């Protein structure tokens, strides 16, 4: 971010903070006003983090790791696979024994 962008962002956040203060004076400390105040605070924190990122040297990206793809077949399982398994669905315990 350039210094002019930082100044513009800080000015906009200050204006938002004033607007939220006006809303709080008009409507009180209702949930909607609290959320707006929290949003402005979060944006201020995020802006500070961006400024800090510009001040610190950039680290190289971590190397990408190839991930193994596991193919799960869509064919039905052998019924013996579920032998003696509990049914955890609706209706409680039900044995699969025949």
């Amino acid at each position: 971010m350039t210094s002019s962008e930082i100044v513009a962002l800080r000015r906009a956040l200050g204006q938002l903070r004033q607007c939220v203060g006006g809303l709080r004076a008009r409507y009180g400390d209702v949930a909607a006003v609290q959320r707006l105040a929290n949003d402005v605070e979060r944006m201020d924190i995020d802006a500070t983090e961006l400024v800090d990122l510009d001040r610190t040297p950039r680290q190289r990206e971590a190397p990408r790791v190839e991930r193994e793809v596991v193919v799960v077949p869509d064919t039905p399982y052998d019924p013996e696979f579920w032998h003696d398994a509990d049914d955890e669905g609706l209706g409680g315990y039900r044995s699969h024994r025949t």
Side-chain angles (χ1 to χ4, degrees), residues 3 8 12-13 15-16 18 30 32 37 44 49 52-53 55-56 64 79 84-86 97:
S3 59
L13 287 171
Q15 290 172 338
L16 278 172
Q18 286 179 341
V30 296
D44 189 44
E49 286 182 15
D52 291 345
L53 280 176
R55 291 183 182 158
T56 58
R64 292 189 176 202
D84 285 337
D86 293 337
R97 293 182 186 180

Side-chain angles (χ1 to χ4, degrees), residues 6 8-9 16 20 22-23 26 31 33 37 43 47 51 53 62 67 70 81 91 97:
I6 295 169
L9 180 58
L16 278 172
V20 171
L23 291 171
R26 181 173 179 178
V33 174
M43 286 188 286
V51 170
L53 280 176
R67 298 181 192 261
V70 178
F81 181 78
R97 293 182 186 180

Side-chain angles (χ1 to χ4, degrees), residues 12-95:
L13 287 171
Q15 290 172 338
L16 278 172
R17 199 171 279 113
Q18 286 179 341
C19 290
V20 171
L23 291 171
R24 183 173 277 132
R26 181 173 179 178
Y27 296 108
D29 207 22
V30 296
V33 174
Q34 289 175 355
R35 286 192 300 270
L36 287 170
N38 287 340
D39 290 344
V40 172
E41 181 65 24
R42 181 190 45 80
M43 286 188 286
D44 189 44
I45 291 168
D46 291 343
T48 301
E49 286 182 15
L50 286 175
V51 170
D52 291 345
L53 280 176
D54 278 344
R55 291 183 182 158
T56 58
R58 299 194 190 273
Q59 297 177 358
R60 289 192 282 163
E61 287 185 27
R64 292 189 176 202
V65 177
E66 291 294 321
R67 298 181 192 261
E68 179 184 357
V69 176
V70 178
V71 179
V72 178
D74 58 358
T75 56
Y77 286 107
D78 179 5
E80 279 298 309
F81 181 78
W82 299 108
H83 184 72
D84 285 337
D86 293 337
D87 184 0
E88 295 180 10
L90 297 175
Y93 174 82
R94 188 174 74 207
S95 176

